[in-house]
Amino acid sequence: MKTLLSIDGGGLFGIGVANWLPKLANNWKFDCYAGTSVGSILAACYAIGMSPAEVQRLFNSSLPKKIFTKETPPIILKPAKYKTSGAKEALEGVFKDIKISQVKNPLVIVAWNYDKKKEKVFSQTSNSSYLLRDAVLASMSAPTYFRSVKLMNEKGIEEQLGDGGVCGNDPSLAGIAEMLKAKKMDISDIKCLSINTGGEPKEKKIKIGKMTDWLPVLTGVITSGNVAYTSYCVERIMGDRYLRVSPENLPNCSMDNFSQVPEIKKAWLKHPEKAAVNFLKKA
């Protein structure tokens, strides 16, 4: 049985995940990692061989603030809230010049191709010649938060890439597909521990009085919608070989709200690890 660790996107909520996963250190038996957005940073760190404790220290350091470096005012006149250069420099410091083909463990990163209006998946069997840091940067470049990322594809054609959360904020399905392709195994040989980085979305009644009222609804559809649908499908396909970790009492805030980081960490650290430990021990 091979085990996939799949980590959703979710901005600063990823700090909570980085602080919770060390609870599983004594049972760390993952054969493949998949990530979207901040989940791609975490997954890439584990895939290159960093320990849960090392990743925890990294996320508790200045890394998040280096990534979320604000553009100079006036922000309203700029295409994004944060500087791509800040995130790029921060990721370069972590991943250096490692190419995806050189990553120690199987890894899947989900991004979005704006030009082709379809997913862009990076792995050791697909788009492997890219620098790891570039794939991660593309995956985490959420609309309005960061500019899109322009990268030259393997045919020498420039592509405009962005946040994997647009199509697959829960990357578990992409991870499973990669394991089936790369390892040539049966799906019954795979189990998946899926991390719901931002927790379950809060229920809210919608009221549409005018066309602009659809904007927040559509935002929720793009992010929460594809997560819920992917999780539903994977759970039905995998059965008891799938476990979704979703903590309670996470603050209801934007993914770049630094004032809520202590509450995010608190909620994650309170979440019991027993179910995940038992899941990893199960043959």
Side-chain angles (χ1 to χ4, degrees):
M1 185 74 69
K2 300 294 184 180
T3 307
L4 167 69
L5 175 61
S6 172
I7 310 175
D8 290 9
L12 292 177
F13 286 90
I15 298 175
V17 177
N19 280 273
W20 184 79
L21 282 172
K23 290 184 175 186
L24 309 182
N26 292 334
N27 298 277
W28 200 264
K29 300 175 182 178
F30 298 108
D31 302 285
C32 182
Y33 301 91
T36 297
S37 199
V38 70
S40 75
I41 305 176
L42 288 159
C45 285
Y46 300 128
I48 64 174
M50 292 180 69
S51 71
E54 287 173 324
V55 177
Q56 181 182 31
R57 287 193 292 271
L58 179 66
F59 272 73
N60 286 340
S61 70
S62 59
L63 179 71
K65 288 192 174 180
K66 287 180 180 178
I67 290 175
F68 286 101
T69 302
K70 286 188 176 180
E71 285 279 10
T72 53
I75 293 172
I76 194 68
L77 299 179
K78 295 182 179 292
K81 189 175 181 180
Y82 297 100
K83 292 181 178 179
T84 298
S85 59
K88 191 173 183 178
E89 184 179 337
L91 296 175
E92 185 176 348
V94 177
F95 302 119
K96 312 300 180 185
D97 293 325
I98 299 173
K99 289 186 177 181
I100 293 171
S101 60
Q102 299 170 322
V103 174
K104 181 179 180 181
N105 299 293
L107 171 67
V108 180
I109 292 174
V110 180
W112 177 251
N113 188 321
Y114 285 108
D115 299 321
K116 295 184 178 180
K117 299 179 177 64
K118 61 180 292 186
E119 78 291 337
K120 179 83 173 183
V121 179
F122 302 89
S123 72
Q124 281 94 337
T125 65
S126 182
N127 301 307
S128 63
S129 64
Y130 286 83
L131 289 172
L132 178 58
R133 67 182 193 235
D134 287 343
V136 171
L137 181 64
S139 181
M140 55 151 280
S141 293
T144 74
Y145 288 93
F146 295 96
R147 299 168 186 256
S148 60
V149 177
K150 293 180 180 180
L151 297 178
M152 206 73 74
N153 69 17
E154 292 172 321
K155 294 181 180 180
I157 300 171
E158 187 178 75
E159 294 179 335
Q160 194 164 216
L161 308 177
D163 185 24
V166 172
C167 59
N169 207 46
D170 173 357
S172 56
L173 195 57
I176 292 167
E178 175 64 22
M179 292 179 77
L180 291 172
K181 178 182 178 181
K183 299 293 183 180
K184 297 180 181 179
M185 61 179 67
D186 189 83
I187 197 165
S188 61
D189 297 322
I190 300 171
K191 61 181 180 179
C192 174
L193 181 66
S194 176
I195 308 296
N196 189 358
T197 304
E200 297 296 336
K202 303 295 186 294
E203 290 188 18
K204 185 179 181 181
K205 299 290 183 182
I206 69 167
K207 184 178 180 181
I208 307 299
K210 52 186 181 298
M211 285 183 66
T212 53
D213 292 336
W214 280 107
L215 293 175
V217 176
L218 292 174
T219 300
V221 170
I222 291 172
T223 54
S224 300
N226 73 60
V227 167
Y229 181 67
T230 298
S231 301
Y232 170 86
C233 292
V234 174
E235 183 179 12
R236 296 312 185 273
I237 293 168
M238 303 290 284
D240 63 1
R241 289 176 289 106
Y242 174 78
L243 179 66
R244 182 81 164 152
V245 177
S246 187
E248 298 178 350
N249 301 318
L250 282 167
N252 185 19
C253 64
S254 64
M255 68 177 192
D256 61 339
N257 190 334
F258 277 92
S259 70
Q260 291 299 306
V261 167
E263 293 301 315
I264 291 171
K265 290 170 68 172
K266 181 179 177 182
W268 264 104
L269 288 170
K270 278 188 174 182
H271 188 72
E273 71 277 12
K274 185 176 180 180
V277 169
N278 290 338
F279 178 78
L280 292 175
K281 286 181 176 180
K282 188 176 178 180

